[in-house]
């Protein structure tokens, strides 16, 4: 039996490709498009074939000019990171290759880029945040040792003092040293790796809820929207409690009077370079004042705060804890509605 019979026909290869491929004639009408192109532009090829290609994408005049030029002069070219608008209104960033294959046929290849661009941007931000945290940890470490000595010396001095009034000064030194030590400990961040075991995410949420209620925030209503069917996940519940608590406290401090704690599952989640089939998604929704546009890119960096009494460590710590679970924290915010989303993969990548 010849190999020939078993080979996939070249035409079928086009049908199986994940890159969108289109063929235009000399009137820039669609002669062919593969399923990937149907998918990308959200059109049905039965309906669109024979129509002008501008029926499928909103093309700028210069683009038409390029295509015509490629046909006339039998050229090929690639445009990178071009913005296209599909006829359903969806805007996308694409790499666009045009090849004239005859006087009357143009082959187009369109590769969507915005997903890659977004991932690269996220990766870069995460790396920068990690670097900032490392720098801070190093500094905190350097402060911690002399601080211990300082406090010890004040304590010794106090035991030598007979005048009660003078002891007030040593008390101030010790109190301030303790305060600084607390801060430095928070700057150091979580110092142990997660102790993972199977837990139910709602135990975490309920724990946070009781803590926040015990902190006496009577003006805030905490609303539960749980999906009880979420399977258990392998995680360190103490660390997740800390992470979610930091988010909910921020929501309380944003002046919100209603905070929703929502749990869901989400399919096909990309976190950094990894893709997971299933993840737990927690949304902390508040109706507070929102985050200023000028602060949005920075809030996950340590020591970045918008509150006079804030230390700016809450989000950076929460992100570290969640990253240690291969997860990520993201947010969207406008005045009156801020949503912090915590994604935790339910299985290995
Ligand atoms: N839900 C929210 N609504 C409005 N602004 C927020 C919200 N969450 C965070 N922010 C902004 O992001 C900043 C950084 O938050 P982060 O938790 O890291 O630090 P902090 O709350 O200022 O201090 P800390 O948590 O260390 O006490 C906040 O100061 C606030 O300006
Ligand atoms: Mg905070």
């Amino acid at each position: 039996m010849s190999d020939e019979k078993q080979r996939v026909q070249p035409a079928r290869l086009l049908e199986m490709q994940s890159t969108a491929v289109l063929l235009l004639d000399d009137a820039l009408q669609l002669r062919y498009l593969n399923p990937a192109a149907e998918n990308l532009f959200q059109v049905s090829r039965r309906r669109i074939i024979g129509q002008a290609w501008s029926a499928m994408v909103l093309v700028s005049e210069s683009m038409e000019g390029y295509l015509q030029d490629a046909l006339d002069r039998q050229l090929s070219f690639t445009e990178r990171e071009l913005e296209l608008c599909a006829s359903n209104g969806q805007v996308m960033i694409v790499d666009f290759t045009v090849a004239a294959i005859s006087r009357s046929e143009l082959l187009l290849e369109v590769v969507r880029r915005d997903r890659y661009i977004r991932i690269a941007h996220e990766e870069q931000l995460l790396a920068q945040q990690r670097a900032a945290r490392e720098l801070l940890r190093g500094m905190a470490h350097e402060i911690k040792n002399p601080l211990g000595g300082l406090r010890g010396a004040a304590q010794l001095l106090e035991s030598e003092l007979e005048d009660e009034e003078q002891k007030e000064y040593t008390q101030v030194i010790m109190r301030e040293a303790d305060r600084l030590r607390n801060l430095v400990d928070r700057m150091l961040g979580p110092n142990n790796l997660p102790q993972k075991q199977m837990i139910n995410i709602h135990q975490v949420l309920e724990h946070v809820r009781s803590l926040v209620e015990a902190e006496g925030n009577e003006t805030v209503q905490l609303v539960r929207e749980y999906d009880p069917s979420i399977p258990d996940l392998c995680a360190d519940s103490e660390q997740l409690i800390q992470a979610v608590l930091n988010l909910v406290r921020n929501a309380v401090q944003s002046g919100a009077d209603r905070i929703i704690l929502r749990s869901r599952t989400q399919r096909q989640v990309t976190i950094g370079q990894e893709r997971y089939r299933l993840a737990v998604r927690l949304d902390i929704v508040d109706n507070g004042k929102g985050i200023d546009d000028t602060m949005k890119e920075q809030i996950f960096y340590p020591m970045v705060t918008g509150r006079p009494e804030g230390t700016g460590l809450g989000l950076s710590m929460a992100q570290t804890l969640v990253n240690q679970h291969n997860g990520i924290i993201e947010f969207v915010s406008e005045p009156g509605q801020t949503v912090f989303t915590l994604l935790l993969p339910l299985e290995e990548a």
Side-chain angles (χ1 to χ4, degrees):
M1 194 172 71
S2 76
D3 273 358
E4 206 55 37
K5 276 196 181 142
Q6 295 188 359
R7 275 204 200 120
V8 182
Q9 297 296 314
R12 271 199 65 209
L13 283 178
L14 269 181
E15 295 282 295
M16 289 156 66
Q17 246 193 357
S18 63
T19 308
V21 176
L22 307 96
L23 191 67
L24 306 186
D25 63 17
D26 47 2
L28 301 185
Q29 284 177 346
L30 282 156
R31 293 263 302 272
Y32 168 81
L33 64 164
N34 68 352
E38 280 184 289
N39 198 6
L40 182 66
F41 294 106
Q42 293 290 303
V43 291
S44 133
R45 73 175 143 180
R46 267 193 308 126
R47 286 213 207 118
I48 203 86
I49 283 185
Q51 294 197 35
W53 114 284
S54 55
M56 193 176 71
V57 252
L58 303 177
V59 248
S60 64
E61 269 175 32
S62 58
M63 192 69 209
E64 295 252 314
Y66 273 144
L67 294 180
Q68 203 58 59
D69 202 34
L71 257 182
D72 296 345
R73 296 167 52 199
Q74 293 290 290
L75 293 174
S76 301
F77 66 88
T78 299
E79 285 281 310
R80 294 209 184 275
E81 296 182 14
L82 192 77
E83 195 176 283
L84 277 191
C85 182
S87 56
N88 66 0
Q90 196 190 17
V91 177
M92 49 189 136
I93 311 282
V94 298
D95 283 352
F96 194 92
T97 302
V98 179
I101 49 176
S102 73
R103 287 263 161 231
S104 60
E105 281 169 317
L106 266 187
L107 186 70
L108 309 189
E109 267 177 75
V110 187
V111 181
R112 188 145 186 192
R113 291 280 307 168
D114 26 14
R115 238 193 84 215
Y116 300 106
I117 294 170
R118 183 179 64 84
I119 290 173
H121 183 67
E122 268 174 14
E123 284 274 291
Q124 193 194 2
L125 274 184
L126 281 177
Q128 284 172 355
Q129 288 161 13
R130 247 191 315 266
R133 279 198 301 262
E134 282 308 310
L135 186 72
L136 196 71
R137 276 175 67 88
M139 237 173 69
H141 201 80
E142 288 302 312
I143 297 173
K144 200 165 165 167
N145 288 336
L147 200 58
L150 211 70
R151 194 195 191 283
Q155 210 166 359
L156 279 178
L157 184 63
E158 185 170 281
S159 64
E160 299 288 318
L161 291 177
E162 271 149 32
D163 184 347
E164 283 302 313
E165 258 179 43
Q166 283 183 331
K167 285 190 183 173
E168 263 178 43
Y169 299 121
T170 50
Q171 285 294 324
V172 170
I173 298 173
M174 287 192 282
R175 206 169 49 238
E176 292 300 296
D178 288 343
R179 208 164 63 87
L180 206 53
R181 186 186 163 119
N182 272 337
L183 175 66
V184 165
D185 279 339
R186 293 192 64 212
M187 283 161 69
L188 279 169
N191 57 356
N192 26 17
L193 289 172
Q195 306 281 317
K196 293 187 186 176
Q197 55 188 60
M198 294 310 283
I199 58 158
N200 187 288
I201 197 65
H202 299 120
Q203 285 167 358
V204 170
L205 293 175
E206 282 300 287
H207 197 115
V208 170
R209 208 171 65 89
S210 60
L211 285 173
V212 173
E213 272 171 359
E215 284 170 2
N217 305 296
E218 281 100 11
T219 51
V220 186
Q221 185 197 5
L222 287 174
V223 182
R224 284 176 279 185
E225 287 183 10
Y226 297 169
D227 172 355
S229 71
I230 295 179
D232 287 359
L233 77 160
C234 190
D236 182 325
S237 64
E238 288 300 316
Q239 293 199 344
L240 291 188
I241 288 170
Q242 185 65 60
V244 177
L245 184 63
N246 289 359
L247 299 183
V248 177
R249 278 192 181 137
N250 282 348
V252 171
Q253 287 154 354
S254 74
D257 58 13
R258 190 163 188 275
I259 297 170
I260 304 171
L261 307 179
R262 185 187 296 138
S263 66
R264 294 289 182 262
T265 51
Q266 186 167 322
R267 287 182 194 285
Q268 304 298 350
V269 177
T270 310
I271 299 172
Q273 303 278 15
E274 305 291 347
R275 197 161 168 80
Y276 301 92
R277 275 202 328 201
L278 195 63
V280 175
R281 174 194 174 105
L282 301 180
D283 290 326
I284 316 292
V285 186
D286 74 64
N287 63 351
K289 63 178 170 13
I291 302 170
D292 281 353
D293 283 343
T294 51
M295 276 193 76
K296 279 184 179 161
E297 287 260 306
Q298 296 159 24
I299 55 170
F300 283 105
Y301 288 98
M303 313 299 280
V304 170
T305 180
R307 300 188 295 116
E309 71 285 19
T311 53
L313 291 170
L315 284 177
S316 139
M317 183 186 294
Q319 189 70 280
T320 309
L321 293 170
V322 172
N323 290 167
Q324 284 185 358
H325 287 80
N326 302 325
I328 195 168
I329 304 177
E330 301 169 333
F331 73 95
V332 284
S333 178
E334 56 183 78
Q337 165 125 317
T338 298
V339 185
F340 273 83
T341 298
L342 202 156
L343 286 168
L344 290 167
L346 263 169
E347 55 204 299
E348 295 301 306

